[in-house]
Amino acid sequence: MAKNLNSVSFIVLLLVLLVASTEILKSDAACFTFLGECGPEPFTGSNADCLACCVALYKSPPVCAGRVEGVPAHCHCYKS
């Protein structure tokens, strides 16, 4: 039993080191920090329109995504 537990612990440690060393968590998929809202309320455009609004308002480096969310629809800007 202890041998199996040690093997599992070792594999988990290797996976954590692999994720940390490849910077998977710092990829574009990690774009989830709310930056602010953009545009009129309700926002009638698409996600692409929302992203364009966010880039115009907050500039391109901090903005990584713009998503239309909520009821009524709002344009939410996100940074990584």
Side-chain angles (χ1 to χ4, degrees):
M1 174 82 176
K3 194 174 192 179
N4 288 339
L5 186 59
N6 284 338
S7 297
V8 170
S9 297
F10 183 71
I11 290 171
V12 168
L13 177 64
L14 285 178
L15 287 174
V16 168
L17 290 174
L18 175 72
V19 168
S21 66
T22 57
E23 297 186 1
I24 291 173
L25 297 177
K26 293 183 180 179
S27 69
D28 289 337
C31 183
F32 54 83
T33 304
F34 181 71
L35 186 60
E37 291 185 357
C38 187
E41 183 182 321
F43 191 82
T44 56
S46 65
N47 283 339
D49 297 331
C50 180
L51 178 59
C53 180
C54 292
V55 168
L57 184 63
Y58 296 108
K59 306 299 177 224
S60 184
V63 173
C64 63
R67 298 183 195 113
V68 179
E69 301 170 324
V71 176
H74 292 76
C75 173
H76 290 168
C77 305
Y78 293 92
K79 66 180 181 176
S80 51

